[in-house]
Amino acid sequence: MDATALWQRYQEWLYFHEGLGLYLDVSRMRFDDAFVEKLQPKFEKAFADMAELEKGAIANPDENRMVGHYWLRNPDLAPTPELTQEIVDTIEQIEVFAEKIHTGGIHSPKANRFTDIISIGIGGSALGPEFVAEALATDFPPLAIHFIDNSDPAGIDRILTHLRNRLASTLVLVISKSGGTPEPRNGMIEVKKAYAGQNLDFANYAIAITMPGSKLDEQAKSEGWLARFPMFDWVGGRTSELSAVGLLPAALQGIDILAMLQGAKEMDDATRVPDIKQNPAALLALSWYYAGNGRGEKDMVVLPYKDSLLLFSRYLQQLVMESLGKEKDLEGNIVHQGIAVYGNKGSTDQHAYVQQLREGVANFFVTFIEVLEDRNGPSTEIDPGTTAGDYLSGFLQGTRQALYENHRDSITVTIPQVNPRTVGALIALYDRAVGFYGNLVNINAYHQPGVEAGKKAAAAILDLQKRVLEVLQTEKTALSLEQVAQKAAATNQIEQIYKILRHLHANQRGIVLEGNLAEPSSLKVSISG
Ligand code: PA5
């Protein structure tokens, strides 16, 4: 296509949201009108199903749940007045609580102001808050946030060491929808011990965000934690950023949560329009379908050209891959769906993997995120008439063009600046695009059976570890791995037993390994003490 035809295609396909000042450009995806025509019936179904979902249909059939994240930003749309009230009350509760924390109306028994937050959660209970903190927290927020989003003891130590002199003024958010996920539970127990180690009563610092009635909720209630906020059954983890999961940490950091909700609401209104060309989320889903033949054949590379949006790529990775990466379709057929997502930021990545994007395997499409405002205030000229921001903008345009010339497609989302409203809008845009795409490829985008399977497999290993330790404690002599396996009734799990013992041995847990470490079958194992 020559430059004139490309300019025409750009204008033909350009979507602009006037209120938000957001542009979406899909002109560098090479679909033609016949392709759009072919997908039209699928989109008609997707629009109709989405309308039913918003009315409260059981859109997550595997978990028998409604899917209501859209109600969070427009509570009047919730299917019952009780739900509307619950959403409104929760937002108000968050605002009042954050205000009291900021003004010292609520403070720790040992300090007249809270200074820091430790946020403990994983997956959907971490990635949204992490993204929003990175994107929107000011340089000197009223409370600085620190995340524990893993079961890594060294990672936990790092946060606790950093905060050791401020623990008495640090709030702890424990975020888990189910209230039974091992990683946040482990983090919470370790953090609680650190508070006890400084003679601080954890309950005065701890806040639970979880489903009412969950194990975590019961614990918080019985121990008299500082506060509890509800996570609704009908909101999924990865679409929970605009529930208490994301709103409470954001409000505590002084981020304007009403503006985030407003931006998301405006985008939700725009993505409700049942017309592909007038609906930015439909345009994204159409482009994804085109890129990967509706089978995820191409990876989505997300490149925000703005440091503060660094974690948007990671946030989208979970949203897209946990939602769309499914073995079965809604009829139970094996389909192995999904779209792989990775990314970091531009122009940084131009000096890393963009080399391969430009010249190597053409197994991807790019999503550029462009921010029009360079910085808050004027910029220095690096060269006469050119600023650092001009360079960044030029790098983006240049990369987009170079990729296109080498037959690599791209989408560009442009926002006027990074602020609570545009961040809310981006979250809502991708929530809906994922919902549409899931519908186009006929999968349930709202459950995560693979995550559950991983949790079960890990629990089975920990159970095996218990049995192995019992065997070693009962037997007084050194045993071979085979003997341990036999006595633990796990003869088909020798490799797992070996790895368990090797890990315990490396962590001074009383395991003695004798023999040649390079030949595991030669090892004799015993337990000391
Ligand atoms: O998106 C999801 O549903 C998951 O990523 C969950 O958020 C994650 O597994 C954590 O679950 P929970 O909040 O129940 O601890």
Side-chain angles (χ1 to χ4, degrees):
M1 229 182 242
D2 67 15
T4 313
L6 272 178
W7 173 231
Q8 262 165 12
R9 182 170 168 81
Y10 175 78
Q11 292 176 84
E12 186 194 342
W13 282 97
L14 184 65
Y15 172 86
F16 179 55
H17 189 296
E18 207 175 336
L20 291 161
L22 177 146
Y23 299 82
L24 172 65
D25 162 27
V26 295
S27 66
R28 298 300 173 100
M29 302 296 292
R30 279 163 233 249
F31 54 76
D32 57 16
D33 290 348
F35 173 78
V36 182
E37 199 56 35
K38 200 177 94 197
L39 280 206
Q40 185 60 35
K42 277 185 184 286
F43 267 103
E44 271 158 31
K45 178 176 181 306
F47 291 138
D49 287 352
M50 190 58 83
E52 288 305 306
L53 174 149
E54 288 208 60
K55 281 190 213 143
I58 300 294
N60 177 356
D62 304 75
E63 292 178 354
N64 195 28
R65 282 181 165 141
M66 299 188 289
V67 174
H69 46 272
Y70 301 103
W71 313 330
L72 298 169
R73 26 281 189 156
N74 189 348
D76 290 335
L77 295 181
T80 67
E82 291 75 24
L83 286 186
T84 301
Q85 200 54 49
E86 242 182 309
I87 300 166
V88 172
D89 289 350
T90 305
I91 295 171
E92 202 187 307
Q93 196 194 345
I94 289 169
E95 290 220 294
V96 170
F97 184 80
E99 170 76 14
K100 284 189 183 155
I101 293 286
H102 292 157
T103 55
I106 298 177
H107 60 87
S108 114
K110 300 271 170 89
N112 51 19
R113 281 281 202 287
F114 281 108
T115 56
D116 294 81
I117 307 163
I118 297 177
S119 183
I120 307 175
I122 195 163
S125 293
L127 288 156
E130 286 170 343
F131 158 50
V132 165
E134 186 78 17
L136 296 176
T138 57
D139 295 335
F140 303 101
L143 283 92
I145 196 159
H146 316 266
F147 292 96
I148 293 180
D149 62 358
N150 198 355
S151 188
D152 174 12
I156 297 172
D157 286 349
R158 206 163 160 183
I159 302 284
L160 290 174
T161 304
H162 179 69
L163 290 172
R164 67 189 181 286
N165 297 327
R166 301 204 297 278
L167 222 48
S169 62
T170 298
L171 280 174
V172 181
L173 305 183
V174 185
I175 311 180
S176 175
K177 177 181 175 182
S178 60
T181 307
E183 291 91 337
R185 182 172 168 272
N186 298 351
M188 186 259 292
I189 291 171
E190 292 235 7
V191 170
K192 193 174 176 188
K193 191 162 165 254
Y195 276 74
Q198 293 195 15
N199 290 321
L200 302 170
D201 180 357
F202 185 65
N204 291 325
Y205 301 84
I207 299 164
I209 304 176
T210 186
M211 278 202 296
S214 76
K215 266 195 205 159
L216 173 60
D217 191 46
E218 293 303 326
Q219 177 178 0
K221 201 173 0 168
S222 71
E223 292 179 3
W225 288 16
L226 188 58
R228 292 182 292 134
F229 292 85
M231 166 74 176
F232 306 115
D233 167 67
W234 37 267
V235 176
R238 53 196 172 275
T239 51
S240 65
E241 175 48 32
L242 296 171
S243 74
V245 168
L247 294 181
L248 180 63
L252 289 170
Q253 291 169 85
I255 295 166
D256 184 348
I257 59 169
L258 295 185
M260 277 171 71
L261 288 164
Q262 174 61 25
K265 177 179 180 295
E266 286 172 68
M267 182 51 75
D268 287 342
D269 291 343
T271 58
R272 219 167 261 133
V273 174
D275 176 341
I276 300 175
K277 260 191 154 168
Q278 303 306 321
N279 182 324
L283 287 169
L284 283 180
L286 175 92
S287 303
W288 300 352
Y289 197 101
Y290 168 76
N293 268 325
R295 289 193 293 272
E297 286 168 9
K298 288 203 172 158
D299 302 345
M300 185 191 306
V301 182
V302 181
L303 277 176
Y305 275 61
K306 186 55 70 183
D307 288 358
S308 64
L309 295 181
L310 170 73
L311 295 184
F312 192 46
S313 328
R314 182 130 60 106
Y315 171 80
L316 286 185
Q317 185 174 59
Q318 187 217 12
L319 177 68
V320 174
M321 295 181 74
E322 202 166 284
S323 301
L324 303 179
K326 299 292 155 68
E327 182 179 35
K328 293 182 181 158
D329 70 10
L330 284 167
E331 275 75 51
N333 305 307
I334 304 285
V335 289
H336 294 297
Q337 272 293 352
I339 302 178
V341 178
Y342 64 95
N344 183 46
K345 67 179 163 100
S347 66
T348 315
D349 294 356
Q350 286 182 218
H351 300 265
Y353 58 81
V354 173
Q355 162 65 30
Q356 176 170 322
L357 301 191
R358 286 179 74 150
E359 297 183 0
V361 195
N363 60 351
F364 66 91
F365 63 101
V366 172
T367 303
F368 294 104
I369 312 285
E370 179 185 27
V371 181
L372 292 176
E373 184 188 78
D374 287 339
R375 60 154 55 97
N376 184 6
S379 284
T380 314
E381 289 191 358
I382 304 284
D383 305 317
T386 316
T387 64
D390 297 340
Y391 269 94
L392 191 68
S393 176
F395 289 140
L396 190 159
Q397 276 221 53
T399 303
R400 172 177 174 272
Q401 184 59 20
L403 288 176
Y404 186 78
E405 282 165 5
N406 230 3
H407 305 282
R408 275 86 170 145
D409 286 358
S410 68
I411 296 167
T412 305
V413 179
T414 303
I415 53 173
Q417 58 174 201
V418 179
N419 62 35
R421 205 162 138 239
T422 54
V423 166
L426 285 176
I427 290 170
L429 174 63
Y430 279 86
D431 278 349
R432 188 83 86 181
V434 164
F436 282 147
Y437 187 87
N439 196 291
L440 296 182
V441 300
N442 193 36
I443 52 109
N444 179 357
Y446 306 109
H447 71 340
Q448 50 284 323
V451 179
E452 304 310 320
K455 284 186 195 168
K456 280 194 190 136
I461 294 288
L462 291 171
D463 180 61
L464 179 62
Q465 174 171 314
K466 273 194 197 130
R467 277 159 37 219
V468 165
L469 285 173
E470 272 163 24
V471 166
L472 294 174
Q473 269 145 8
T474 314
E475 301 291 322
K476 300 292 175 211
T477 55
L479 301 174
S480 70
L481 290 176
E482 264 158 37
Q483 286 169 319
V484 176
Q486 255 166 17
K487 289 178 191 293
T491 46
N492 58 349
Q493 289 182 292
I494 298 189
E495 186 179 331
Q496 288 87 334
I497 291 173
Y498 164 65
K499 288 185 176 167
I500 287 169
L501 290 168
R502 190 176 62 177
H503 173 249
L504 294 174
H505 175 67
N507 286 283
Q508 302 85 44
R509 307 276 292 279
I511 297 298
V512 182
L513 291 180
E514 293 164 88
N516 182 354
L517 289 178
E519 276 177 43
S521 58
S522 77
L523 294 174
K524 290 277 184 193
V525 53
S526 58
I527 193 160
S528 65

